[in-house]
Amino acid sequence: VAKVKNKLEGVWRLSKLGVPVGDDPGKDFLGISEGLLQAIAKVIEFPVASMLPEEAFSVIRKSFDARKILKEAKFVYTVDLDVKTLLELEPRAHDFIFRLEPKIGLIEHVPTEKSVPGDLISVVNDCKKSNSETSSGEYEPQIINGSGDPHQHGGGGGRSKPKIAIVGGGPSGLFAALVLAEFGADVTLIERGQAVEERGRDIGALVVRKILDMESNFCFGEGGAGTWSDGKLVTRIGKNSATVLAVLKTLVRFGAPDNILVNGKPHLGTDKLIPLLRNFRHYLQSAGVTIKFGTRVDDLLVEDSRVVGVKVSDSTDQLQSTSQNLKFDAVVLAVGHSARDTYEMLHSRNVELTPKDFAVGLRIEHPQELINHIQYSSMASEVLKGRGKVPVADYKVVQYVNDKDEDLSQSSSKRSCYSFCMCPGGQVVLTSTNPTELCINGMSFSRRSSKWANAALVVTVSAKDFDILNLNGPLAGIEYQREFERRAAIMGGGDFTVPVQRVTDFLQNKLSETPLPPSSYRLGVKSANLHELFPAHITEALRQSISMFEKELPGFISEEALLHGVETRTSSPVRIPRSNETYESTSLKGLYPVGEGAGYAGGIVSAAVDGMFSGFAVAKSFDLFDGTI
Ligand code: FAD
């Protein structure tokens, strides 16, 4: 009886509901269409789709599937069916629900209401409420007051608040700051780059006048490396997980469109990221966080083997004559993977660092129309520069190639080669932080309406590769990146000109003749033989895998496709070991390495999640909560 009763309560989650493109209002519509009701009716075997009330259903995820194995392209939905509402509005559905059986991956019964997390601010406030019953710690936070003022932070009962420095204002630093501020810590966010408004001007000067500000650029500044980016919010850490959802809801709270909660491949684009970051900053400031832009951490203050603060200077002052010592109880290090000077400082302080595998390669750019055509065939005309019914086409490819290079190892091993950070309707941008080095990446705006599609094609590298160039020690990976960035700068001939080669010529190892296909890269390109950039085994791995990608994406090897050099900063070349539980560095007390630069994240969402968890860990270590989320 209980089993039967349960079936008629709660929620049924219906997955893989396919709606042909012709029956769907299009990629921007996230409601319940007639086409979707038809698909739902089919699954629950209800005879008249139009009698199903829209109110009983909510779209959890919507993706577009145009794989060639399908007879026709379709939108694929996951939908929650609220049994109570359905039976209230359409009692005749009773028998159909009664007969419904769970089917793995297709129909799942959620007997009681699922506890869906809110944004991070409400998650922390819930923790604080439950904590108030148990906490007896030194830094007991002041719980939200009766008036519900969310900014009544910290330091209840006259106790002092822990002073926490967050170094780096990328996703990991921002989310750590948010959690700690909500728990009532006295947080100072220190960022070497500028706030988005000024950073935008610095990036403008770079793109238009070729002036690189070494402290405010595509890697450094408010929002971190992902601000002038495609803003892809896809992550391998489980898109439906409660933690990812809490991060995405927090972004929505600060102004991201709520379709990111539903889209199978959510992305924001630079134009949406900038106002979002401004709102994030204003919230943090209203929560009592002190934000210091244009301030670089040059050193750690260490006493009795414990971090007790940081030495900072105005980031425009290379001589550090403006340096100041700031005292803190803990330092969260969220500096990203381009803070090479910071890694060197940590190394000189004997903080444990270990080399980490990453990937290097080139960025390929095609006309977007070509990619639309490869992926969608006749439906390519529906893209309409991001305003059409179907999303601007992207791709993701991976291949494993044999590694037979003599220098590398006697036995043959497999090396993976894959597309990375694909930006449909985007542009290639300069991510150098030093004028003698040249490296690139991709960005886009929310509509993804440019006429180009770019993606990195990269090959994994590890310590044995660094060895070939006689590079060793914990910072070998950084030197390895630098080597190719310098070579690329020289091959380009200076002024941030990027060396390029037609993919067809790269495969034949010959220089491309001019005129070259147009490139979205604004600072200039120059024909060069990219075979001369990397060691032969990397070039060979790229060459082999590009030929294999062609089988998957016929037309990928095209006279119109241009390879740009060099893509090196795919992920951190260094890991800063830390405790799994406390997030504290294994070699220095009071230091909390987080995010991509510490080697614990790759991408905006995973960095934000890591920052969030580090915030909880630091809060716990200062008894700001009892450790139950
Ligand atoms: P970061 O974002 O790198 O932030 C670190 C911050 O620390 C920086 O702002 C830096 O200025 C500051 N800092 C460094 N050293 C110091 C110091 N000594 N003192 C003070 N401040 C310091 N990821 C995606 O998921 N989707 C995408 O579409 C995407 N596109 C990208 C496009 C580009 C052009 C780039 C460069 C990256 C892109 N990424 C993307 C990667 C993503 O940006 C990073 O994975 C993410 O930002 C890492 O977050 P983080 O907080 O760990 O570090």
Side-chain angles (χ1 to χ4, degrees):
V1 175
K3 202 174 155 201
V4 170
K5 188 169 172 279
N6 276 347
K7 271 188 168 191
L8 296 171
E9 283 178 350
V11 168
W12 284 93
R13 177 156 290 184
L14 313 174
S15 304
K16 298 197 180 141
L17 300 164
V19 179
V21 173
D23 298 341
D24 194 279
K27 68 176 194 316
D28 298 325
F29 181 79
L30 300 175
I32 310 291
S33 65
E34 269 179 50
L36 181 54
L37 283 179
Q38 297 275 3
I40 294 170
K42 204 164 152 196
V43 166
I44 65 170
E45 297 178 8
F46 190 77
V48 191
S50 57
M51 283 165 66
L52 289 172
E54 281 174 33
E55 297 85 337
F57 304 98
S58 45
V59 176
I60 299 300
R61 192 156 299 281
K62 177 175 184 174
S63 318
F64 182 61
D65 190 354
R67 278 171 306 155
K68 300 233 156 36
I69 49 163
L70 300 173
K71 263 196 239 131
E72 59 181 337
K74 56 186 180 180
F75 286 97
V76 182
Y77 287 84
T78 299
V79 166
D80 272 359
L81 177 174
D82 177 43
V83 177
K84 191 163 168 261
T85 312
L86 177 65
L87 296 183
E88 263 168 27
L89 298 172
E90 181 44 88
R92 281 167 289 191
H94 177 281
D95 289 353
F96 299 90
I97 300 299
F98 184 74
R99 284 201 295 267
L100 216 52
E101 285 297 334
K103 285 189 197 140
I104 295 166
L106 292 177
I107 304 175
E108 185 196 348
H109 187 225
V110 188
T112 47
E113 249 179 55
K114 264 201 164 177
S115 112
V116 180
D119 63 38
L120 210 38
I121 297 154
S122 51
V123 171
V124 175
N125 279 314
D126 284 349
C127 289
K128 289 199 301 196
K129 277 178 208 148
S130 64
N131 194 30
S132 66
E133 287 139 30
T134 53
S135 171
S136 58
E138 192 189 349
Y139 299 107
E140 196 169 31
Q142 187 171 326
I143 306 306
I144 271 186
N145 65 6
S147 66
D149 175 2
H151 294 148
Q152 206 61 47
H153 285 90
R159 295 186 181 104
S160 63
K161 304 170 176 186
K163 284 182 63 144
I164 316 286
I166 313 270
V167 187
S172 61
L174 288 172
F175 275 79
L178 179 63
V179 170
L180 284 161
E182 288 298 313
F183 272 121
D186 178 357
V187 177
T188 302
L189 181 67
I190 304 171
E191 167 56 58
R192 69 196 298 164
Q194 300 297 339
V196 281
E197 297 82 356
E198 201 169 330
R199 187 180 176 193
R201 287 190 281 277
D202 296 332
I203 285 178
L206 174 59
V207 174
V208 179
R209 300 201 303 279
K210 303 193 178 190
I211 300 167
L212 173 67
D213 182 328
M214 284 164 63
E215 302 288 339
S216 176
N217 46 52
F218 277 95
C219 284
F220 294 160
E222 188 174 22
T227 307
W228 269 261
S229 85
D230 185 44
K232 280 178 283 296
L233 301 175
V234 282
T235 169
R236 278 177 287 181
I237 57 174
K239 56 189 167 193
N240 285 327
S241 74
T243 42
V244 169
L245 217 52
V247 162
L248 295 183
K249 286 189 175 175
T250 310
L251 297 179
V252 169
R253 177 172 184 140
F254 293 133
D258 55 10
N259 64 22
I260 63 168
L261 304 174
V262 173
N263 270 336
K265 289 183 187 168
H267 98 108
L268 288 171
T270 302
D271 49 324
K272 295 265 191 310
L273 276 156
I274 292 171
L276 185 158
L277 284 162
R278 204 179 292 132
N279 293 342
F280 207 138
R281 181 206 315 156
H282 291 156
Y283 185 85
L284 288 178
Q285 285 169 331
S286 72
V289 175
T290 305
I291 304 184
K292 292 174 180 288
F293 288 115
T295 307
R296 188 185 51 238
V297 167
D298 296 317
D299 203 355
L300 299 174
L301 307 180
V302 180
E303 281 173 18
D304 298 331
S305 309
R306 184 182 180 88
V307 174
V308 293
V310 289
K311 182 175 157 193
V312 298
S313 56
D314 179 332
S315 63
T316 54
D317 162 26
Q318 293 306 319
L319 299 174
Q320 300 178 17
S321 57
T322 52
S323 78
Q324 261 186 293
N325 289 348
L326 305 176
K327 290 281 198 159
F328 291 101
D329 297 311
V331 174
V332 175
L333 199 69
V335 291
H337 61 34
S338 288
R340 294 171 172 174
D341 51 353
T342 313
Y343 286 128
E344 276 155 22
M345 176 274 284
L346 295 172
H347 188 45
S348 73
R349 285 244 161 237
N350 294 321
V351 173
E352 191 188 353
L353 305 170
T354 55
K356 191 182 128 303
D357 296 357
F358 60 101
V360 297
L362 304 166
R363 188 160 278 261
I364 192 163
E365 187 168 66
H366 294 84
Q368 180 63 53
E369 274 189 14
L370 178 67
I371 300 298
N372 293 343
H373 187 74
I374 293 174
Q375 295 292 51
Y376 298 164
S377 314
S378 59
M379 208 186 298
S381 58
E382 299 278 355
V383 172
L384 299 175
K385 287 192 161 192
R387 294 185 186 277
K389 215 171 173 185
V390 300
V392 183
D394 62 3
Y395 60 84
K396 192 171 185 179
V397 278
V398 59
Q399 288 292 344
Y400 296 88
V401 293
N402 275 330
D403 211 353
K404 295 200 188 101
D405 193 90
E406 287 175 339
D407 292 327
L408 201 65
S409 71
Q410 294 308 314
S411 62
S412 91
S413 59
K414 292 269 181 194
R415 195 185 275 275
S416 76
C417 183
Y418 54 96
S419 61
F420 173 76
C421 195
M422 199 266 150
C423 296
Q427 64 192 86
V428 178
V429 295
L430 178 79
T431 46
S432 303
T433 41
N434 183 311
T436 61
E437 299 156 357
L438 196 147
C439 59
I440 49 171
N441 205 307
M443 64 158 273
S444 77
F445 293 99
S446 53
R447 278 272 163 219
R448 289 177 161 167
S449 56
S450 98
K451 54 184 182 189
W452 286 285
N454 69 68
L457 300 180
V458 291
V459 179
T460 45
V461 290
S462 60
K464 56 186 183 178
D465 295 284
F466 314 154
D467 237 23
I468 295 171
L469 300 189
N470 290 326
L471 302 170
N472 36 54
L475 303 184
I478 295 181
E479 283 313 312
Y480 190 79
Q481 291 175 318
R482 255 195 191 131
E483 174 65 27
F484 302 119
E485 293 173 6
R486 285 183 183 147
R487 286 189 200 177
I490 293 167
M491 284 174 91
D495 257 358
F496 307 114
T497 303
V498 161
V500 295
Q501 190 170 20
R502 276 197 176 87
V503 71
T504 42
D505 296 330
F506 179 74
L507 294 176
Q508 293 172 42
N509 190 8
K510 71 171 212 239
L511 205 63
S512 297
E513 281 173 20
T514 49
L516 295 162
S519 162
S520 67
Y521 180 71
R522 297 265 303 271
L523 287 87
V525 298
K526 179 183 162 192
S527 173
N529 189 352
L530 299 177
H531 274 244
E532 289 161 16
L533 192 55
F534 291 115
H537 60 275
I538 303 280
T539 309
E540 186 50 26
L542 282 167
R543 223 181 49 77
Q544 276 187 39
S545 48
I546 289 172
S547 301
M548 294 194 263
F549 296 155
E550 169 70 17
K551 295 200 180 88
E552 225 171 303
L553 303 169
F556 190 77
I557 298 177
S558 152
E559 287 283 318
E560 295 175 276
L562 203 56
L563 287 166
H564 298 60
V566 61
E567 183 98 14
T568 43
R569 302 193 192 183
T570 48
S571 73
S572 178
V574 177
R575 173 162 286 131
I576 312 175
R578 69 183 186 197
S579 145
N580 286 341
E581 200 188 320
T582 63
Y583 283 60
E584 198 170 27
S585 150
T586 47
S587 54
L588 187 57
K589 292 237 159 304
L591 183 71
Y592 295 83
V594 310
E596 183 151 30
Y600 293 97
I604 296 170
V605 172
S606 63
V609 166
D610 197 55
M612 171 183 104
F613 278 125
S614 74
F616 280 104
V618 176
K620 191 178 172 203
S621 73
F622 285 94
D623 276 338
L624 295 176
F625 92 120
D626 65 3
T628 324
I629 305 177

